Amino acid sequence: MSPELLNADSPLSEWLAAIEACHPAEIELGLDRMRQVAERLPLQLEQSFRIVVGGTNGKGTSIRLLESILLAAGYSVGTYTSPHFLRYNERISLSGQPAEDALICAAFAQIEAVREGIPLTYFEYGTLAALLIFAQQRPDVLLLEIGLGGRLDSVNLVDADIALVTTIALDHTEWLGPDRESIGFEKAGIFRPAQVAVCGDPQPPQSLLDHAARLGTRLHCHGQAYQYQVEPSCWSWGGLDAQGDRFVLADLPRPRLPLQNAAAVLQVLPFIPLAITPAQIAEGLRRAQLTGRMQPARLAGHACIMDVAHNPESAQYLAQALAEDTVSETHLLLGMLADKDMRAVCEQLLPVVQRWHLVTLHTPRGATAAQLKQILDSLGVSSESVAEYDSVASALAQLPACLGTASRLVIAGSFFTVSDALQKVEWVNGDQG
């Protein structure tokens, strides 16, 4: 069905099917089409403090940490993230709750009323809808996640009061360039003249530093503006306040999410013009959790961990986290997209995995179990420690018989893999669905 035939009362499922079919390309970078439509919409966002988050890995984690701290401090927060796991509504959140269908459909109808044939991608429709909802709801703070790159991503339509770049690594090279310098320039595209930016990468590319200097962006980098130190049961952080003076936060609780992201988030906080106490920061860190990131679950009574690690950098973090909690045997259910660096991901996980359960992802760009098996063969993994399955559901149905009482199951490789698994496992934190 065409979007022109729908209205605000049409079901969200019909809207999503229509806008997905509306543009021939899944991705078309550039802001010209978005700007044309945005100029016709009431997108006044000045009432909210705007934080735009880009980077290769850790964007969703950083947004969840910021949201948790701000909610603990009593402020209203709007978040826009992608992709979603089970429901589209997860992408647009108001103070921790997914937006209702009616709000999203009304926003889609508003967009359609002014679009006048200008082609928009699925992500562009969603971005405009989120911004419309935020303009209407007026939360204290907006947390907006870049979908791909930065400079030409539709979220970059918004001028950030603070820009946060998490890490810069090789991913989406067909769109962003072949090396960290090219990718760093694209990520730095969310910086604005004379505004604050934070970079959580310990070794940011020179292209990112140069772009900040050209704009006069007030850039605060990991290792220079701020540092953190890990202790046995807590951690401490030192950084700069809005006046440029140093201050320290000590005895912080360890969050369930990566400390590298939490440390960058703490450097963002002093520049948000809202009062936030150390006690509220600690409470926000304790509460923060994120679907699909080191998420604990159970399968037929067996412990499992779900993580969307899908590129070498995120796989390295997952491997390090698994190595800190040794068990007798780790089983990995792995499903990936074929355009990812599958070999490098497997190499990172090789030291911590004893049994491999490879699945075919039945989605565009999905790799087959046989493709993953060829990679493991080339890495010298014994065929006796590898099993192949036609789907995530098939693997999860058979896996309990393979797991010992002290075994650990890890589910990783793609958002698609974790999304399929979320429908089959028992969640430890939060209700399923």
Side-chain angles (χ1 to χ4, degrees):
M1 181 178 292
S2 170
E4 291 94 336
L5 302 177
L6 301 175
N7 57 52
D9 295 322
S10 300
L12 179 57
S13 58
E14 292 187 7
W15 271 110
L16 295 176
I19 65 176
E20 190 168 18
C22 187
H23 196 283
E26 180 184 1
I27 298 170
E28 184 176 340
L29 295 177
L31 296 175
D32 291 343
R33 291 167 295 106
M34 277 279 292
R35 283 203 178 97
Q36 289 180 60
V37 180
E39 288 170 357
R40 306 169 188 175
L41 293 167
L43 295 181
Q44 289 73 35
L45 301 172
E46 294 77 11
Q47 72 284 348
S48 300
F49 190 82
R50 302 171 298 280
I51 302 174
V52 174
V53 181
T56 304
N57 294 304
K59 299 186 293 293
T61 296
S62 300
I63 283 179
R64 183 53 55 88
L65 286 160
L66 280 165
E67 178 191 49
S68 185
I69 293 168
L70 288 164
L71 291 178
Y75 299 109
S76 57
V77 184
T79 66
Y80 178 56
T81 59
S82 64
H84 62 276
F85 286 98
L86 300 177
R87 298 174 62 218
Y88 184 87
N89 311 58
E90 298 166 25
R91 296 180 179 227
I92 306 170
S93 175
L94 295 165
S95 293
Q97 298 301 313
E100 297 290 338
D101 286 13
L103 273 179
I104 300 173
C105 293
F108 283 152
Q110 259 187 289
I111 295 165
E112 196 53 38
V114 302
R115 185 171 65 88
E116 296 180 357
I118 295 171
L120 296 174
T121 66
Y122 183 84
F123 186 75
E124 289 168 342
Y125 262 105
T127 301
L128 287 172
L131 298 181
L132 268 174
I133 290 169
F134 297 147
Q136 295 159 5
Q137 300 296 315
R138 298 172 174 261
D140 296 319
V141 180
L142 291 183
L143 305 174
L144 308 174
E145 179 184 352
I146 291 290
L148 177 63
R151 182 174 63 93
L152 300 176
D153 185 84
S154 63
V155 173
N156 201 32
L157 189 72
V158 176
D159 289 324
D161 294 308
I162 299 177
L164 169 60
V165 172
T166 56
T167 62
I168 298 96
L170 298 182
D171 201 10
H172 300 295
T173 53
E174 69 276 25
W175 296 101
L176 305 179
D179 50 41
R180 290 183 78 244
E181 290 298 328
S182 304
I183 295 171
F185 173 74
E186 295 297 330
K187 304 291 186 188
I190 65 175
F191 295 168
R192 293 296 187 268
Q195 297 290 58
V196 171
V198 174
C199 180
D201 196 301
Q203 295 181 306
Q206 190 62 43
S207 59
L208 180 143
L209 301 175
D210 290 345
H211 190 64
R214 281 194 297 271
L215 292 177
T217 300
R218 295 180 286 158
L219 182 60
H220 296 71
C221 290
H222 177 195
Q224 298 177 7
Y226 71 92
Q227 304 84 26
Y228 67 98
Q229 182 174 345
V230 182
E231 296 160 28
S233 60
C234 61
W235 63 299
S236 59
W237 178 93
L240 299 177
D241 64 16
Q243 288 71 47
D245 297 323
R246 294 214 160 266
F247 73 107
V248 173
L249 295 169
D251 299 322
L252 293 166
R254 294 280 295 268
R256 299 186 189 94
L257 302 171
L259 283 182
Q260 181 176 338
N261 298 133
V265 160
L266 294 191
Q267 186 55 77
V268 169
L269 295 179
F271 298 98
I272 301 175
L274 299 170
I276 304 171
T277 68
Q280 291 163 342
I281 292 172
E283 181 62 20
L285 291 172
R286 272 190 291 267
R287 290 183 188 176
Q289 57 184 336
L290 187 59
T291 302
R293 273 75 167 194
M294 291 302 293
Q295 181 182 357
R298 299 193 73 80
L299 177 68
H302 297 279
C304 65
I305 295 169
M306 294 179 291
D307 195 281
V308 296
H310 60 281
N311 56 38
E313 185 185 50
S314 56
Q316 180 183 38
Y317 170 77
L318 174 59
Q320 290 171 345
L322 294 174
E324 292 176 4
D325 183 19
T326 56
V327 296
S328 63
E329 189 174 51
T330 295
H331 292 246
L332 175 65
L333 188 160
L334 183 68
M336 297 194 66
L337 298 181
D339 55 5
K340 299 299 179 182
D341 192 342
M342 298 186 289
R343 183 183 180 86
V345 167
C346 291
E347 287 174 335
Q348 292 291 344
L349 295 170
L350 206 57
V352 294
V353 175
Q354 286 75 51
R355 299 280 297 178
W356 298 77
H357 303 270
L358 311 177
V359 299
T360 296
L361 292 184
H362 297 279
T363 187
R365 301 153 49 213
T368 65
Q371 287 175 292
L372 291 168
K373 176 66 163 55
Q374 287 181 339
I375 291 170
L376 292 183
D377 288 344
S378 70
L379 292 173
V381 176
S382 169
S383 294
E384 294 180 357
S385 62
V386 180
E388 298 176 56
Y389 307 86
D390 182 58
S391 66
V392 172
S394 175
L396 291 176
Q398 299 175 61
L399 263 168
C402 307
L403 301 173
T405 55
S407 297
R408 170 177 59 191
L409 172 63
V410 179
I411 301 169
S414 170
F415 277 88
F416 294 103
T417 308
V418 172
S419 293
D420 288 349
L422 283 168
Q423 302 175 57
K424 301 294 182 181
V425 301
E426 176 187 352
W427 296 23
V428 172
N429 295 313
D431 295 328
Q432 189 170 20

